[in-house]
Amino acid sequence: MLLLLHHLGSKYIVWDKSAQINFLSPGRNTVYADIRLDAVEITHIKELTDNYAPVYRTYTVNIFDDAGIRIAEVEKTVYIRRKNPKPTTR
């Protein structure tokens, strides 16, 4: 979920929590993940994490082979939290 971390910035923690994979056909060559999050979702996550509490979001990720055939569908749960502010030193 580097893409999500990239959009949120360094003030957030993003970890993969769990995943469930439904294999549709064998992947015999290079495979690619199709991950898409829109600006509304990014804004919503920022609102949910304003209080520094953890948030769990589940996304569907499609996996394609190099011929463009969808070979798997992944239900991915991600842990997201805004980092606590660092204490100021005097």
Side-chain angles (χ1 to χ4, degrees):
M1 292 304 316
L2 280 175
L3 181 63
L4 181 57
L5 184 58
H6 172 76
H7 286 290
L8 290 174
S10 62
K11 293 182 180 179
Y12 292 84
I13 297 169
V14 179
W15 293 333
D16 288 339
K17 178 69 175 161
S18 65
Q20 181 178 353
I21 303 172
N22 181 24
F23 294 101
L24 305 172
S25 66
R28 294 188 173 93
N29 297 309
T30 303
V31 297
Y32 304 93
D34 183 23
I35 303 168
R36 297 172 190 229
L37 297 174
D38 60 20
V40 173
E41 174 67 2
I42 300 298
T43 301
H44 186 61
I45 290 169
K46 287 181 178 182
E47 291 169 355
L48 291 171
T49 57
D50 272 347
N51 63 357
Y52 301 95
V55 172
Y56 297 91
R57 304 293 286 172
T58 301
Y59 301 104
T60 300
V61 179
N62 292 302
I63 309 295
F64 296 92
D65 67 10
D66 54 1
I69 297 171
R70 188 169 74 124
I71 63 164
E73 180 179 272
V74 179
E75 288 293 318
K76 184 178 188 100
T77 301
V78 181
Y79 168 97
I80 308 163
R81 184 174 62 80
R82 188 171 175 188
K83 291 180 182 177
N84 291 323
K86 293 183 180 181
T88 57
T89 57
R90 293 182 182 222

